[in-house]
Amino acid sequence: MTHHYIPLFLIVFPLFFNFFDTCIAEHGQKTAGNWLEIASPYDPKVINVGQFAVDEHNRNTNSTMKFDRVIKGYTQIVGGINWRLTIDVEDHTSIKTCV
């Protein structure tokens, strides 16, 4: 009867690597629960989130604001992603900055 053993480091190393990779950001910040600055306000995903926020605001308040651009933002990973964006919106004829 032959036993096949897998060296322990082959099991532990990939698990440790995956955990470390998902919990540490680029500059050594822990990502889970911390607010991290977005890489670019021009990222299509960030723009979609900003547009979604304006659309939801308009739907809930019967407003007619128009999304203009994302200025800056942060994300937080907590069982999903929370977004905190600073955006410009057009309200009638003026541009307003909203958080």
Side-chain angles (χ1 to χ4, degrees):
M1 183 164 155
T2 306
H3 295 290
H4 297 283
Y5 295 98
I6 298 174
L8 184 59
F9 74 90
L10 292 178
I11 296 171
V12 174
F13 180 73
L15 293 174
F16 175 75
F17 181 75
N18 287 336
F19 175 76
F20 188 80
D21 186 44
T22 59
C23 293
I24 303 296
E26 183 177 328
H27 300 291
Q29 300 166 308
K30 291 184 179 178
T31 58
N34 288 343
W35 287 97
L36 301 173
E37 190 169 2
I38 59 173
S40 170
Y42 306 107
D43 183 321
K45 184 175 185 176
V46 174
I47 292 170
N48 286 338
V49 171
Q51 180 65 60
F52 174 79
V54 173
D55 291 345
E56 284 298 299
H57 172 79
N58 287 341
R59 189 175 65 78
N60 292 328
T61 62
N62 204 21
S63 299
T64 58
M65 291 183 180
K66 294 180 183 167
F67 173 80
D68 185 48
R69 69 185 179 115
V70 174
I71 298 169
K72 64 180 180 177
Y74 300 87
T75 59
Q76 179 187 44
I77 301 171
V78 286
I81 299 177
N82 291 328
W83 294 82
R84 185 188 309 156
L85 299 179
T86 302
I87 61 175
D88 279 347
V89 296
E90 183 180 336
D91 189 17
H92 303 288
T93 58
S94 64
I95 299 290
K96 294 181 179 180
T97 301
C98 303
V99 177

